[in-house]
Amino acid sequence: MLYPLVNNFRNVLDLSGIWEFKTDPKKIGEREKWFKGFNTGTTIAVPGSWNEQLEELGLLHYVGSAWYSKKVFIPSEYESKRIILRIGSIDYNSKFWINGKFAGENKVGFLPIELEINDFVVPGKEAIIVIMVNNELSDETLPQGITSKRFRDEKRLRDETNPPTRYDFSPYGGIHRTIQLVTTPHCYIKQIKIDTKILNNRNGLVNAEIIINSKKSLVISAQIISGKKVLSQKTSLNSGKAKVKFEISNCKFWSIDNPFLYDLKIELLDEKNIIDEYKTPFGVREVVISGNKLLLNGKEIYLKGFGKHEDFSVIGKGLFLPLMVKDFELMKWINANSFRTSHYPYSEEMMFYADRKGFLVIDEVPAVSLDFRYVNGNTLKTHKEHITRLIDRDYNHPSVIMWAVGNEPNLVGDKNYYNGSAKKYWKEIFGFTKKIDSSRPITVPNCTRAGVNDPVFEFSDVLSLNRYYGWYEYPGNLDEATSILSKEMDTIFNKYKKPILFTEFGVDTMPGLHSISTQMFTEEYQQQFLEAYINLIRSKKYTIGEHVWNFADFRTPQHFRRVVLNLKGVFNRNREPKSAAFLLKRIWQNPSKNKL
Ligand code: GCB
């Protein structure tokens, strides 16, 4: 799926702003025809979660359905265009009506939705757009859901959160990213897939596949543009597809230090004229796992950074560009070079920004804490759809160096996880992902409860570990924690012989709490913990990086373990540094793994 842009053939109309809003806890909206549009006097800003924004209406922990309505003028010049309603993401489920007619449904959160709406609108007139959003989850969605009844039936009273979730972040609901009317020509460039290779230290190879929505005999003109330098090619489309190949001499490779981006411009031509055009940035780079090393453009690279979240006060999971810019500046300031989109795809804007700023990204689907006791064929189907749509969205980003096709399966520690069916499931998921993208390593972060025999290790290119010894286990005892962890790391490496990446380690830390003795929750303990882990991780020849959990404090469901927020941030929720930020900045200023 291509990101919307404005040029002579395409246009974008921003629909963000204030929408009419109404919750539907009893799910009567469809029966009462709310889809015809409504005006209740309750309003909400889009993009943004409803939770903190409308806390005063009792929505802080609201899980259920809610309706959005807005009158939108459809410009008459859209008459000759293909008109799309496009939303960067809605969490989690959504249904759409335009001028009272049902226009479509989506059950995949965190990823863009496109609906062709020509049959529903009259250019030159107003249209009423109504969207029903629902943030309830089930065994067959990603993430999987859980109810308080299930917690109680399983006699897991102390595990129950409110709202009930299988994961440790707020189940925000709402229209979370850009909402736009996008136009393209009726015959249009549908997808561009770019692969790059380094031929030698001067030349790069670019292979691009272009897909259009028609089988007509048309022609593609492709150009690689860098300043005044232009390489061009023309080729005919065959059944709506064309391939072009360029060799760039004196190529500027994309790297952390010099995230150089070329533009690929595609023009679609009939006999005489250009009928559509699309331009996208891309970088020439190569990511390879070689032995126990991660290589970027043939050079060893050690990952330093964070697991993050899309979370901020008031806006919740809503796209907020100043915060995105701030987070990248803070990551640069602290000398990080990478992050993981834990535990779901982040905004498209963030991925383009990572390309520009030279950050390496582990891109994750929301298969967080899969409980295999409730996984079924439909869960697998949903999982594949998330992977397909994520890779379709993010394939061309040079910043994306790895796919995480899950996080911490079997967090519940079920013994049957090892009886073969989970292995079959993971084999299928890894194989499926490799078929769509054979160029990037694939991983799934493993948790302590899934242990050293987690079937994901067998299929992962990189063994990703989330560990909290010294916190959830062996509390306040870093010597014991690191000694047990050291042995466990060796066991895992010796069994699977693949590089190990630490995708999570961290401790809850209350800013301003201090102690001269070892004391959990203090700023000193966070520093001691991180330093001890980093020393251990770097002492092993097979490790390729350290991602601290978490970049910043973030809101969680209610539970006695959480003081409103998960406090493992190195920055607080407002992005002010805790003491550990200065420690990491010092450790991370050296790009090499070996010298602290
Ligand atoms: C984990 C999860 C993450 C939690 C974290 C914690 O293992 O992957 O989502 O927030 O632990 O702080 O407990």
Side-chain angles (χ1 to χ4, degrees):
M1 182 181 285
L2 296 175
Y3 188 70
L5 54 74
V6 179
N7 61 25
N8 287 333
F9 305 90
R10 294 171 171 248
N11 218 334
V12 178
L13 186 78
D14 187 15
L15 303 183
S16 60
I18 301 298
W19 285 59
E20 302 294 323
F21 181 80
K22 169 153 134 161
T23 55
D24 186 8
K26 297 203 176 107
K27 301 203 170 72
I28 55 169
E30 286 197 50
R31 210 179 335 132
E32 299 202 344
K33 302 196 176 17
W34 295 2
F35 47 77
K36 292 192 161 171
F38 52 87
N39 193 339
T40 50
T42 306
T43 45
I44 190 166
V46 174
S49 303
W50 59 59
N51 309 68
E52 292 184 31
Q53 201 184 149
L54 294 177
E55 180 179 358
E56 294 68 20
L57 306 187
L59 296 192
L60 184 61
H61 306 299
Y62 181 68
V63 175
S65 295
W67 292 67
Y68 292 68
S69 171
K70 195 177 179 74
K71 271 193 193 147
V72 173
F73 188 82
I74 313 290
S76 50
E77 73 242 35
Y78 286 10
E79 185 76 66
S80 59
K81 299 282 182 188
R82 178 175 161 259
I83 311 168
I84 301 129
L85 175 64
R86 190 187 200 276
I87 306 103
S89 72
I90 296 181
D91 298 320
Y92 299 104
N93 312 301
S94 44
K95 278 187 171 183
F96 302 84
W97 290 264
I98 292 160
N99 287 330
K101 279 207 279 175
F102 179 66
E105 185 173 11
N106 176 66
K107 291 186 174 165
V108 167
F110 308 107
L111 286 170
I113 306 158
E114 285 194 355
L115 289 174
E116 219 174 290
I117 59 166
N118 289 65
D119 292 345
F120 300 88
V121 298
V122 181
K125 291 205 165 143
E126 273 185 344
I128 300 177
I129 301 181
V130 175
I131 305 176
M132 197 263 282
V133 180
N134 170 285
N135 63 339
E136 287 163 307
L137 295 167
S138 73
D139 293 337
E140 299 174 353
T141 57
L142 288 196
Q144 281 181 311
I146 189 164
T147 56
S148 64
K149 180 173 181 308
R150 175 81 59 80
F151 273 119
R152 290 164 200 190
D153 288 350
E154 290 183 358
K155 306 207 169 20
R156 292 168 59 204
L157 286 185
R158 287 199 175 180
D159 289 343
E160 181 176 341
T161 59
N162 186 347
T165 62
R166 289 192 173 278
Y167 47 79
D168 184 34
F169 52 93
S170 177
Y172 294 116
I175 301 176
H176 281 148
R177 297 184 189 144
T178 50
I179 173 155
Q180 301 162 322
L181 277 189
V182 173
T183 63
T184 73
H186 282 286
C187 182
Y188 66 99
I189 301 162
K190 199 170 160 191
Q191 182 58 301
I192 301 171
K193 206 173 154 196
I194 305 169
D195 281 293
T196 63
K197 256 198 166 15
I198 293 183
L199 291 175
N200 52 48
N201 58 10
R202 291 175 72 86
N203 296 351
L205 190 71
V206 181
N207 277 301
E209 184 183 46
I210 298 99
I211 301 175
I212 69 158
N213 73 319
S214 149
K215 302 253 151 78
K216 285 186 204 154
S217 64
L218 297 168
V219 169
I220 284 289
S221 153
Q223 295 184 329
I224 289 185
I225 305 167
S226 157
K228 285 193 183 132
K229 259 178 75 181
V230 180
L231 301 172
S232 343
Q233 253 183 56
K234 252 191 189 176
T235 180
S236 301
L237 283 145
N238 189 351
S239 297
K241 283 189 182 170
K243 284 188 175 161
V244 288
K245 190 174 184 171
F246 291 94
E247 196 174 319
I248 307 179
S249 47
N250 292 321
C251 186
K252 289 186 189 143
F253 302 124
W254 184 93
S255 68
I256 292 175
D257 300 326
N258 183 18
F260 188 85
L261 294 172
Y262 290 91
D263 276 324
L264 175 67
K265 183 170 154 191
I266 303 292
E267 288 166 342
L268 179 62
L269 302 113
D270 61 14
E271 298 90 58
K272 298 184 240 119
N273 301 310
I274 303 175
I275 58 172
D276 190 17
E277 184 183 303
Y278 194 88
K279 193 162 87 174
T280 185
F282 72 96
V284 180
R285 61 105 181 92
E286 223 176 63
V287 178
V288 172
I289 300 289
S290 166
N292 300 325
K293 309 241 177 295
L294 171 66
L295 307 182
L296 177 68
N297 304 340
K299 283 192 214 122
E300 182 179 351
I301 190 131
Y302 188 72
L303 300 178
K304 302 169 295 177
F306 299 97
K308 284 185 97 278
H309 264 298
E310 288 184 328
D311 172 279
F312 200 54
S313 51
V314 185
I315 198 160
K317 270 205 173 350
L319 176 68
F320 183 38
L321 295 177
L323 180 72
M324 180 190 84
V325 170
K326 171 102 185 151
D327 282 4
F328 273 89
E329 289 307 322
L330 284 174
M331 286 195 287
K332 268 205 278 178
W333 171 85
I334 205 168
N335 297 312
N337 61 15
S338 52
F339 63 92
R340 177 169 62 114
T341 72
S342 40
H343 293 304
Y344 39 80
Y346 291 0
S347 70
E348 291 159 288
E349 291 73 12
M350 186 130 179
M351 307 310 285
F352 282 109
Y353 209 62
D355 294 345
R356 282 175 74 164
K357 298 290 161 183
F359 274 81
L360 307 176
V361 181
I362 301 173
D363 207 355
E364 186 160 302
V365 296
V368 43
S369 330
L370 276 185
D371 184 342
F372 276 78
R373 294 171 302 171
Y374 305 102
V375 161
N376 62 33
N378 286 333
T379 323
L380 178 69
K381 228 168 109 190
T382 312
H383 202 155
K384 287 181 174 174
E385 188 178 350
H386 276 269
I387 291 168
T388 308
R389 281 170 63 172
L390 176 66
I391 298 182
D392 186 55
R393 191 193 77 162
D394 286 352
Y395 191 86
N396 295 339
H397 290 291
S399 55
V400 175
I401 57 157
M402 208 181 298
W403 303 113
V405 291
N407 176 72
E408 300 199 347
N410 199 30
L411 184 62
V412 290
D414 176 37
K415 290 206 173 59
N416 290 325
Y417 181 57
Y418 310 93
N419 71 6
S421 59
K423 183 169 164 177
K424 205 170 142 224
Y425 183 96
W426 285 120
K427 187 173 182 205
E428 178 82 26
I429 286 294
F430 277 85
F432 179 81
T433 312
K434 267 276 175 287
K435 251 196 215 149
I436 312 180
D437 183 2
S438 57
S439 73
R440 289 178 172 95
I442 309 171
T443 193
V444 170
N446 147 277
C447 65
T448 301
R449 285 205 197 132
V452 303
N453 296 318
D454 192 337
V456 298
F457 285 140
E458 197 174 314
F459 309 109
S460 291
D461 298 303
V462 168
L463 310 172
S464 297
L465 303 188
N466 296 351
R467 289 296 182 274
Y468 292 90
Y469 300 162
W471 188 254
Y472 295 124
E473 300 88 9
Y474 324 111
N477 194 341
L478 285 174
D479 288 342
E480 195 182 9
T482 45
S483 125
I484 291 171
L485 184 54
S486 171
K487 288 189 198 109
E488 191 180 329
M489 288 168 74
D490 289 344
T491 307
I492 294 172
F493 176 72
N494 289 329
K495 184 162 177 198
Y496 303 98
K497 299 276 187 239
K498 297 178 203 173
I500 290 185
L501 167 65
F502 260 78
T503 31
E504 286 183 25
F505 59 106
V507 290
D508 287 77
T509 305
M510 191 67 203
L513 211 59
H514 297 285
S515 173
I516 52 169
S517 311
T518 301
Q519 179 62 60
M520 292 167 74
F521 288 103
T522 61
E523 295 201 40
E524 288 72 25
Y525 191 65
Q526 188 178 34
Q527 294 175 71
Q528 289 152 12
F529 176 98
L530 294 179
E531 195 158 18
Y533 265 65
I534 290 175
N535 273 322
L536 170 66
I537 296 167
R538 292 183 177 203
S539 71
K540 309 284 183 189
K541 62 178 189 322
Y542 49 72
T543 49
I544 59 165
E546 55 210 29
H547 277 180
V548 170
W549 190 258
N550 187 283
F551 172 75
D553 296 346
F554 57 91
R555 183 178 275 280
T556 65
Q558 298 174 88
H559 193 268
F560 59 79
R561 276 182 313 183
R562 299 285 177 257
V563 192
V564 183
L565 308 175
N566 181 317
L567 290 169
K568 295 193 184 71
V570 167
F571 298 93
N572 69 11
R573 201 184 188 207
N574 222 10
R575 275 45 182 178
E576 291 148 358
K578 300 180 189 173
S579 307
F582 300 94
L583 170 84
L584 289 176
K585 181 175 169 61
R586 184 176 55 73
I587 296 176
W588 285 349
Q589 75 194 357
N590 191 326
S592 124
K593 164 179 170 182
N594 297 320
K595 291 170 226 144
L596 269 203

